[in-house]
Amino acid sequence: MAAVSVYCLAYNHEKTIRRALEGMVCQKTDFDFEVIVHDDASADGTAAIIRAYAAKYPEIIRPVFQTENQWSKGISIVETQIRPRIRGRYIAICEGDDYWTDPHKLQKQYDYVEAHPACTLCFTNAVIRNDGTGTRRIFVPYARRDAQQFDPGKEDYSLYDFHRLTFIPTASFFFRTECYDALMRADIPHCPVDDLRLRLFVTSLGYAHFINQRTCVYREDSAGSIMKRWREQDASKAERDARMNYRMLSALDQYTGYVYHR
């Protein structure tokens, strides 16, 4: 039985999926882990690459292939396709256009969370790579306004501190499976970027721990990325997304008893 389940969402990631999978199968751990790779009916060679890796690493990679795109139907892939297949006590994420650079990433996060039962989310530093401009920068602090509340020596974050950080690289997420299940039971609506809902809710159940080491690369402006879609959306869609975020945050505010309302 795997101790950690990694899930990877892929769609038309032919140019990047190989590097993403390499970063996962190269992890050095003293526990078993699995990688659930979901291909959402890619129109390029993504599925073929996943099949090749699944054949080479059958003890690690568990592929899921769709014949019709689920995301375009509004279906939550993680809820319907990923969670029923997860066997680990912990969950880590690496989407098909990101990749891990530290072969000990999972072990470092696992060791910390195992030793600290109150920790519900562990995240790390990262390199942000912009595929459009070719620039690279370190994640922390991500935005100028983040620098006002970011303390490079700070390792533990309550929801009070954590929600003020503009961005956390999804490829660094490591959290308890039971916390994801609690989110599914809670009446917290989805939002346009659902990793925001995930990280805030999971942190509300305990605290988030930051490992200030660069363990992964998060791509901005890659083909099909959410950031690229943000920049291309019109004002009406931007307003709709803002309202969805507001509803999600309002529900989380209520769920946490308004402790963090201010």
Side-chain angles (χ1 to χ4, degrees), residues 158-217:
S158 70
L159 183 60
Y160 177 80
D161 302 305
F162 194 56
H163 89 280
R164 299 167 68 198
L165 294 177
T166 302
F167 166 78
I168 304 296
T170 314
S172 76
F173 283 20
F174 186 100
F175 55 96
R176 299 179 186 275
T177 303
E178 62 185 4
C179 294
Y180 180 83
D181 292 340
L183 173 59
M184 295 303 97
R185 294 190 297 269
D187 189 20
I188 311 293
H190 288 275
C191 63
V193 186
D194 230 27
D195 57 327
L196 172 64
R197 180 182 73 137
L198 172 64
R199 69 176 173 90
L200 293 183
F201 180 87
V202 170
T203 300
S204 78
L205 302 178
Y207 71 91
H209 178 73
F210 175 54
I211 297 176
N212 195 1
Q213 298 177 29
R214 298 190 292 276
T215 70
C216 55
V217 171

Side-chain angles (χ1 to χ4, degrees), residues 22-35:
E22 278 293 330
M24 290 180 261
V25 299
C26 290
Q27 289 295 299
K28 301 181 186 303
T29 66
D30 60 15
F31 54 84
D32 292 332
F33 67 94
E34 62 183 358
V35 178

Side-chain angles (χ1 to χ4, degrees), residues 52-116:
Y53 271 83
K56 187 176 181 180
Y57 302 97
E59 72 284 2
I60 297 177
I61 296 184
R62 301 173 58 207
V64 182
F65 300 103
Q66 298 293 342
T67 56
E68 296 182 11
N69 187 270
Q70 304 297 294
W71 183 85
S72 63
K73 297 180 179 181
I75 296 171
S76 173
I77 293 170
V78 179
E79 290 180 27
T80 63
Q81 303 296 324
I82 302 297
R83 179 59 188 98
R85 293 174 166 85
I86 284 175
R87 299 180 293 191
R89 300 194 310 279
Y90 302 106
I91 298 173
I93 305 173
C94 184
E95 297 184 349
D97 55 348
D98 301 327
Y99 58 97
W100 294 345
T101 55
D102 184 347
H104 303 286
K105 173 193 179 294
L106 287 182
Q107 187 70 59
K108 292 172 181 176
Q109 294 181 297
Y110 176 88
D111 287 345
Y112 181 85
V113 179
E114 276 280 285
H116 299 83

